[in-house]
Amino acid sequence: FPIGSAIEVTGFPNADGLRFDLDNVQAVLIPADQVNQSDQNNSNLPSLTTVAAVRALSPPNAAQALPVRVTGVITYNDPIWRQLYIQDRTGGIYIKYSGAHPELHPGLRVTAIGMTDPGDFAPAIVAPKFRVEGSAPFPAPVPVTSEDATSGMLDSKLVTVDGVVHPMKFAEQPNHSILSFELYASFGQIRIFTAPGFPD
């Protein structure tokens, strides 16, 4: 089928991490307006459009895979483990994605169109599609205080911490080397994990 064709696909779903593949499929051409009608029928729920709206969800509500359409600045991207953080004017959030996205990098403004997930600590966005909006300035990093460090209120936000670096070490993961170290700040010890592209 040419790119842009309206088709209906029937097959067998197969879970592949956060992605589903369809195996042994049959596909037939359908009228384009039938696709549009199908989209309208499946869009009963409005998309959550801010990070704060997603993070305000209770774990049971976040587990319902609610639709999300959030625009923000990428503050961190790990292309090996396929995870990133974005931040909008209301806060920061963790996003887990699948597939290769070489276009994603910190400082890029993107719209993430995905679904909610309860996450391990706070609600997250999973299985997104990305629409690149162009470059954008980083949000101003928030200085961390001892109260902030223990409250969890700055989770997924860009922060700054001053301290003394203690010896660095490599924590080897499969296909993913992480340089880590302890940073001794005025309010205690912090474990730092660097990004895959951290300088030598």
Side-chain angles (χ1 to χ4, degrees):
F1 302 107
I3 292 175
S5 299
I7 62 172
E8 181 177 79
V9 179
T10 306
F12 298 90
N14 180 23
D16 180 13
L18 294 173
R19 183 181 72 192
F20 278 91
D21 295 334
L22 282 180
D23 295 332
N24 302 314
V25 301
Q26 293 182 340
V28 295
L29 283 168
I30 60 173
D33 59 352
Q34 187 173 334
V35 175
N36 294 336
Q37 184 62 39
S38 174
D39 287 344
Q40 291 172 7
N41 292 339
N42 292 331
S43 60
N44 297 329
L45 294 172
S47 293
L48 300 167
T49 57
T50 65
V51 167
V54 177
R55 294 198 56 129
L57 295 172
S58 66
N61 286 340
Q64 293 180 32
L66 301 173
V68 177
R69 188 183 192 92
V70 172
T71 300
V73 180
I74 298 175
T75 55
Y76 172 83
N77 180 45
D78 184 333
I80 300 173
W81 281 349
R82 298 172 181 169
Q83 56 190 6
L84 58 80
Y85 292 94
I86 67 169
Q87 195 166 319
D88 70 4
R89 57 183 174 74
T90 68
I93 197 161
Y94 172 82
I95 297 179
K96 180 68 175 170
Y97 61 90
S98 62
H101 290 278
E103 77 279 12
L104 299 178
H105 59 82
L108 195 66
R109 182 176 174 85
V110 297
T111 297
I113 305 163
M115 60 185 99
T116 60
D117 183 87
D120 294 329
F121 174 75
I125 299 172
V126 297
K129 295 178 182 177
F130 295 104
R131 190 178 71 203
V132 175
E133 310 284 353
S135 298
F138 265 67
V142 178
V144 178
T145 67
S146 58
E147 293 79 12
D148 295 331
T150 56
S151 70
M153 295 300 294
L154 296 178
D155 174 62
S156 301
K157 291 188 76 172
L158 191 65
V159 301
T160 180
V161 182
D162 293 329
V164 177
V165 175
H166 281 231
M168 297 186 177
K169 57 191 173 192
F170 278 102
E172 291 291 339
Q173 302 285 340
N175 303 318
H176 195 290
S177 296
I178 300 175
L179 181 65
S180 67
F181 58 91
E182 306 297 324
L183 185 73
Y184 283 79
S186 60
F187 51 82
Q189 177 180 338
I190 303 170
R191 173 72 50 85
I192 304 292
F193 295 97
T194 65
F198 192 76
D200 291 339

